[in-house]
Amino acid sequence: MKSYEHEINRRRTFAIISHPDAGKTTLTEKFLLYGGAINLAGSVKGKATARHAVSDWMEIEKERGISVTSSVLQFEYDNFCINILDTPGHQDFSEDTYRTLMAADSAVMVIDASKGVEAQTRKLFKVCVMRKIPIFTFINKMDRDANDTFELLDEIEKELGIATCPVNWPIGSGKRFKGVYDRERKCVITYSDTEKGTKEGESVEIPVSDEEKLLSVIGEEAADTLKDEIELLDGASAEFDLELVRAGDLTPVFFGSALTNFGVEFFLQHFLKMTTTPLPRKADIGVIPPAEHDFSAFVFKIQANMNKAHRDRIAFMRICSGKYEASMEVRHVQGGKVMRLSQPQQIMASERKVLEEAYAGDIIGVFDPGQFSIGDTLCMPKEQFCYEGIPTFAPEHFARVRQMDTMKRKQFVKGITQIAQEGAIQIFQEFNTGMEEIIVGVVGVLQFDVLKYRLENEYNVEIKLENLPYEHIRWIENKDIDLDKLTGTSDMKKIKDLKGNPLLLFINAWSVGMTLDRNKGLELSEFGRN
Ligand code: G4P
C-alpha cells in the first residue's frame, strides 16, 4: 500500500451543473460554510464580489459582468477533502464548461423546483452521461412555490433518461413548506429559515410514528398528504441501489433550499457517502489505479492571460494517480520532455496558493509558457503513457472570419491557431480550400467576442465575423470516406478541421437524419476525437 493511499481515498471531486439562476453559486457557498472555508456564506463567492474576484483578468468579463472561466474550490468536511469544479453558469458558456466535466468523478445537478429541467442542464447532463459518471440531484428553492414533486421527478426521468430515487421528500413548498421526510430514517425534519447563511438552524426531527407530535407541528393536512405520498412513493419509485448510482443509471434526489440553508448539510452528508473516491482513468497502457500508481495527470483546460500584467497561461490538470510533490520531475508525454512543473497552484477565487503537494483527485493549475495542449498527459519520468484524449464538443454557433488588413496574414494565422490550440474556439476550413477561408465554431457566442478581443489586443489583428446559419456539426467516424461522393441535404456544408478530418455542418437537426438515410454506412458523431 502506498503511503498516500489514505489521502487519495478521502478525496471527492465533483462538478456542479445547472441552468443559470437555479442556485449553484448559493449552494456552493453553503458547502463552503459547512466546510469552514468561510465564516459567512457569501464572503468567498458572493455574487457582486466574487464575480469580480474570479474574473478580473479579462476586460470583456468586466464589461459583461459574467465569468468566462470556471474555477476550482477545495475544502475539508468531516475528514473528506472536497474539490468542487464550478461550471460557468451563464448561457454563454464555453467548451471549457464541458471539459471541466471530464475532470470530475461525479456531478451535482441543481434544479430550480419551479422550473424543472432547463436547457443548460440538459446539455451538461449529456456529457455526464457520455462519461457515465454518477449524478446527484438537488432540487432547490423549495421555500418558493414549486412544481408538483412527482411531476418534477417524472420530468427528470423522461427528459434526461435517468431513473430517480428520492432520498428525502418535501412537505409542501413556498409559504406552506414544512420540511422534508427522510426516507431512510422515517422521520420528518422540519423547515426552519436558518437566517440565510448561518449554520445553526432550528430544525426538529420527528419520527413519523409519533403521529401526535407530527400533527401538532406540520398540521393535519400536510400530515395526510405526506402519508399518501410516502405510500405512493414507496410503491412507485426506483429502489436505492448504489451500484446503479455509481454507474450513472440512477440519480439520488434531494430537496432543499440553498438560500435558507435547509437540506444542504443533509445533502452533503449523503452525497459524500454515495459518491466515489477518485476514479481510475483509461490510458493506452490500461486503466491506471489512482492509489497504486505514481503521479500522473492530464490537462483538461488551458486558460490564457489570467493576469494581463504577466500574460500568463495556466494549464489546469487533474491528477489521476499518486502524489505530486513540489519541484519533482515529471514527463510531459506529448512534448517528449522531462520537466519540473513551475509553481503548481490551487486556484480559489482570486487567490492563488502555491502547492507543496497534491494527490489524485486534486486539480492543479500550472504556469504554461505554451507547451501544453488540452488532453496532454504528465507522468513519472521513467514512464510513458497517454490518457484517453478529451473529446471535442460540438460547437453550436459558426461564423466566417475575415481579416481587415490582409497584410497581417501571418499574425492572423498565428493568433487564431494559438487561440484554437488553447481550446477557446474551434477552427475549420472549407472542404476544398486552404487557410484563406476560416470558419470558427464556438459552444457559447461569447467566445466570438473573446476571439475578436484577443486577436486585436494580443496579436494586433482586426477581424470581421460573419455569422453562419449552421447549428449542428457532426464528425465523420468512417475512416476512408470519399467526401465528394457524399450526398447530403441542401443545407449541408462539408468542412475539415485543422488536422484534415472531414466534418459536416447542418442548419436543421432533421437534415442530419436525412443525410444518414441517404448514405448507408455513414457514421456521424456529436463528439470529435482530439
Ligand atoms: P446560479 O449560480 O445557479 O446562477 O444561481 P445563484 O446561486 O446565483 O442564485 C440565483 C438566485 O436565486 C439568487 O437571487 C439567489 O439568492 C436565489 N436563490 C438561490 N437559492 C435559493 C433558494 O433556495 N430559495 C430562494 N428563494 N432563492 C434562492 P438573486 O436575487 O438573483 O441574487 P442575489 O441578489 O440574491 O444574490
Side-chain angles (χ1 to χ4, degrees):
M1 173 175 143
K2 302 266 189 191
S3 58
Y4 44 70
E5 186 165 347
H6 168 72
E7 277 300 329
I8 293 176
N9 288 340
R10 70 186 197 93
R11 271 157 169 81
R12 300 290 183 274
T13 303
F14 65 94
I16 304 201
I17 64 174
S18 73
H19 193 79
D21 277 345
K24 185 165 55 80
T25 311
T26 314
L27 187 67
T28 309
E29 283 166 8
K30 298 294 151 51
F31 286 160
L32 295 179
L33 176 72
Y34 283 106
I38 50 171
N39 298 322
L40 260 183
S43 52
V44 164
K45 237 182 142 250
K47 243 187 194 165
T49 46
R51 290 258 154 104
H52 286 289
V54 181
S55 60
D56 252 352
W57 62 278
M58 210 176 197
E59 288 302 315
I60 202 167
E61 291 187 329
K62 275 197 249 162
E63 281 161 23
R64 298 279 189 103
I66 60 164
S67 164
V68 180
T69 61
S70 33
S71 54
V72 186
L73 300 168
Q74 188 181 62
F75 69 98
E76 301 256 338
Y77 175 82
D78 198 16
N79 268 326
F80 288 102
C81 177
I82 299 161
N83 293 305
I84 303 186
L85 295 160
D86 186 18
T87 50
H90 196 274
Q91 209 169 0
D92 285 330
F93 72 155
S94 71
E95 213 179 328
D96 269 347
T97 317
Y98 290 138
R99 291 193 193 107
T100 297
L101 291 173
M102 306 304 286
D105 296 314
S106 65
V108 169
M109 174 164 80
V110 185
I111 287 179
D112 182 332
S114 67
K115 303 241 172 80
V117 177
E118 295 176 87
Q120 189 163 309
T121 318
R122 224 171 272 136
K123 285 189 197 171
L124 293 167
F125 183 86
K126 259 196 199 172
V127 181
C128 297
V129 169
M130 175 191 81
R131 289 205 46 224
K132 290 201 142 296
I133 59 173
I135 296 159
F136 299 84
T137 306
F138 185 82
I139 301 195
N140 191 29
K141 303 198 187 182
M142 292 308 298
D143 59 303
R144 293 244 186 100
D145 287 338
N147 294 355
D148 177 79
T149 317
F150 284 106
E151 278 171 23
L152 276 168
L153 297 181
D154 218 39
E155 194 185 346
I156 295 173
E157 301 210 344
K158 289 214 177 92
E159 284 229 21
L160 304 178
I162 187 169
T164 60
C165 174
V167 178
N168 60 21
W169 188 259
I171 305 167
S173 68
K175 288 202 174 67
R176 289 189 308 278
F177 185 46
K178 303 279 194 229
V180 291
Y181 167 67
D182 177 347
R183 293 184 68 202
E184 188 190 15
R185 292 172 54 232
K186 300 200 187 320
C187 68
V188 164
I189 304 162
T190 61
Y191 173 64
S192 73
D193 177 338
T194 55
E195 292 173 22
K196 304 190 170 146
T198 53
K199 163 160 141 176
E200 288 71 33
E202 284 172 33
S203 294
V204 217
E205 275 188 30
I206 312 164
V208 272
S209 51
D210 189 348
E211 273 190 41
E212 204 177 314
K213 187 155 181 208
L214 195 63
L215 279 180
S216 74
V217 178
I218 71 169
E220 197 178 333
E221 199 189 328
D224 282 347
T225 311
L226 176 65
K227 224 172 165 184
D228 292 347
E229 289 185 342
I230 294 175
E231 233 169 74
L232 245 172
L233 186 63
D234 288 346
S237 82
E239 267 193 46
F240 182 78
D241 181 334
L242 193 57
E243 260 178 49
L244 290 180
V245 173
R246 298 243 168 120
D249 292 326
L250 176 72
T251 177
V253 181
F254 300 78
F255 294 83
S257 157
L259 184 67
T260 60
N261 203 8
F262 181 78
V264 175
E265 195 168 26
F266 182 96
F267 172 77
L268 193 57
Q269 285 168 343
H270 285 76
F271 165 71
L272 288 171
K273 262 192 257 165
M274 296 173 188
T275 188
T276 62
T277 53
L279 290 172
R281 303 263 168 169
K282 261 192 220 151
D284 53 1
I285 53 163
V287 170
I288 307 289
E292 288 154 39
H293 201 101
D294 287 334
F295 171 82
S296 69
F298 72 87
V299 177
F300 67 93
K301 186 170 103 163
I302 291 174
Q303 193 166 295
N305 301 330
M306 287 178 84
N307 181 340
K308 224 177 167 186
H310 298 118
R311 294 194 127 243
D312 49 7
R313 224 168 97 149
I314 290 204
F316 286 85
M317 44 190 85
R318 145 99 194 200
I319 303 182
C320 299
S321 67
K323 176 184 182 183
Y324 175 77
E325 279 173 85
S327 78
M328 81 189 224
E329 286 199 319
V330 298
R331 173 182 297 279
H332 172 214
V333 179
Q334 281 77 359
K337 264 202 293 202
V338 171
M339 60 198 290
R340 283 182 214 282
L341 297 179
S342 54
Q343 297 186 37
Q345 311 188 0
Q346 188 196 359
I347 312 237
M348 177 153 165
S350 62
E351 220 182 283
R352 297 182 186 184
K353 202 169 79 186
V354 175
L355 286 174
E356 289 305 315
E357 55 185 44
Y359 300 89
D362 289 342
I363 309 297
I364 56 174
V366 177
F367 278 107
D368 170 27
Q371 60 204 1
F372 295 120
S373 296
I374 285 167
D376 283 3
T377 299
L378 290 105
C379 57
M380 297 303 280
K382 60 181 187 323
E383 290 187 307
Q384 181 103 31
F385 65 86
C386 291
Y387 279 108
E388 225 177 23
I390 293 185
T392 307
F393 298 95
E396 289 176 21
H397 309 276
F398 298 87
R400 187 171 281 123
V401 195
R402 290 200 200 286
Q403 133 199 34
M404 305 298 273
D405 181 353
T406 44
M407 299 297 281
K408 291 184 178 164
R409 187 72 199 162
K410 238 172 135 180
Q411 287 104 303
F412 169 66
V413 172
K414 182 177 166 209
I416 202 160
T417 315
Q418 276 185 355
I419 296 170
Q421 270 165 0
E422 285 164 19
I425 53 161
Q426 291 179 41
I427 49 179
F428 308 101
Q429 289 155 254
E430 298 269 348
F431 169 55
N432 283 322
T433 65
M435 268 311 250
E436 58 270 16
E437 272 277 308
I438 292 185
I439 294 171
V440 177
V442 295
V443 168
V445 286
L446 181 68
Q447 295 305 318
F448 283 143
D449 295 354
V450 172
L451 172 69
K452 205 164 174 332
Y453 179 93
R454 289 192 53 192
L455 280 176
E456 272 170 34
N457 282 272
E458 292 167 33
Y459 300 91
N460 205 13
V461 176
E462 242 186 287
I463 55 158
K464 204 170 150 218
L465 291 160
E466 182 195 315
N467 288 332
L468 296 171
Y470 305 101
E471 287 183 14
H472 307 274
I473 187 166
R474 293 292 182 274
W475 278 264
I476 299 175
E477 293 282 300
N478 312 59
K479 287 266 175 307
D480 40 13
I481 193 108
D482 185 352
L483 230 57
D484 285 322
K485 294 215 175 100
L486 204 78
T487 44
T489 47
S490 58
D491 68 333
M492 188 185 85
K493 186 174 181 64
K494 298 170 188 173
I495 54 168
K496 60 186 178 195
D497 65 17
L498 281 185
K499 290 178 188 151
N501 296 319
L503 296 105
L504 300 174
L505 289 179
F506 300 91
I507 297 176
N508 304 307
W510 172 86
S511 310
V512 182
M514 201 62 199
T515 303
L516 282 169
D517 280 350
R518 287 185 184 163
N519 299 274
K520 289 289 167 233
L522 178 68
E523 282 175 46
L524 300 178
S525 160
E526 272 187 71
F527 302 106
R529 285 196 202 104
N530 261 335

